[in-house]
Amino acid sequence: EVIRMQAVSNDDPETGEMVESLSKQLRYLIGKTGDLVTLRQEVGNISEYFRLLKIRYEGRFSLMTDIPEEAEELYILKLSLQPVVENAVKHGLIPKSGEGIVQISASVQERFLEVTVMDDGVGMDEDALRNLQRSLDSDEDPAYSDGRTHIGIRNTAERLRKSYGAE
């Protein structure tokens, strides 16, 4: 709060807003014990991340959500969507010229919560997709020609399998 107020008093409201958003993200990370949060809380944290992106990338990127009320209070693994969204921004939107959107949608199917993260970025070629899928199905570290490893996606997939099983 001291840093944010310093920025505001120095007539730098953007830095003040970024510090406020960062502090909310830090509270989310360390504030609650346990590994489960509601979908609403996870998406709220991602919204704070997008506040920073809007300032950093001058409004190029937007977050859209389509989450029914019955899904908002269901529990998911904390930080299970964040790495997916970060990859969508880093590998999909940043390389794209112009504006871009990440959309998070959810639906409840019988006893399952299905969450989808999509972007309208540059996409992924078939070889990269196959390598990623292969690495998610095995213990191997993917070796991409450009040096990317998608560690966040792999860690998320592994956490989901350990918590909920292979299904």
Side-chain angles (χ1 to χ4, degrees):
E1 182 63 10
V2 170
I3 296 168
R4 186 184 76 78
M5 290 307 297
Q6 179 69 27
V8 170
S9 68
N10 286 334
D11 205 21
D12 188 358
E14 280 187 344
T15 300
E17 185 177 343
M18 292 175 81
V19 169
E20 179 181 33
S21 181
L22 178 61
S23 69
K24 286 180 181 179
Q25 290 180 66
L26 289 173
R27 280 194 292 277
Y28 178 78
L29 289 172
I30 62 176
K32 183 180 178 182
T33 58
D35 206 24
L36 295 177
V37 296
T38 65
L39 181 56
R40 179 193 317 257
Q41 290 171 309
E42 181 77 357
V43 171
N45 183 59
I46 292 167
S47 294
E48 291 301 329
Y49 170 66
F50 263 81
R51 279 180 67 192
L52 292 173
L53 288 176
K54 280 189 176 208
I55 294 169
R56 167 65 179 91
Y57 292 98
E58 300 174 348
R60 274 184 54 205
F61 308 140
S62 298
L63 175 67
M64 296 178 66
T65 59
D66 182 17
I67 301 171
E69 269 187 56
E70 69 265 17
E72 289 181 331
E73 297 306 316
L74 295 178
Y75 285 89
I76 65 172
L77 287 175
K78 186 183 218 177
L79 299 175
S80 58
L81 298 180
Q82 183 77 23
V84 179
V85 170
E86 286 180 4
N87 271 16
V89 171
K90 181 177 180 182
H91 300 293
L93 299 186
I94 290 175
K96 174 185 176 179
S97 62
E99 298 179 358
I101 297 170
V102 171
Q103 178 166 345
I104 301 172
S105 57
S107 64
V108 179
Q109 309 284 332
E110 296 177 22
R111 60 191 241 309
F112 294 98
L113 170 63
E114 181 178 300
V115 180
T116 303
V117 176
M118 296 188 315
D119 67 78
D120 64 352
V122 296
M124 177 183 276
D125 67 42
E126 290 295 322
D127 286 340
L129 180 59
R130 272 194 297 279
N131 283 338
L132 176 59
Q133 289 170 331
R134 186 174 34 253
S135 77
L136 292 177
D137 292 336
S138 72
D139 291 333
E140 73 180 57
D141 282 331
Y144 296 103
S145 60
D146 63 0
R148 296 180 292 152
T149 59
H150 296 288
I151 291 172
I153 297 290
R154 286 191 47 139
N155 287 344
T156 299
E158 193 173 309
R159 287 177 61 221
L160 289 169
R161 272 193 294 272
K162 284 180 180 177
S163 296
Y164 300 113
E167 185 182 337

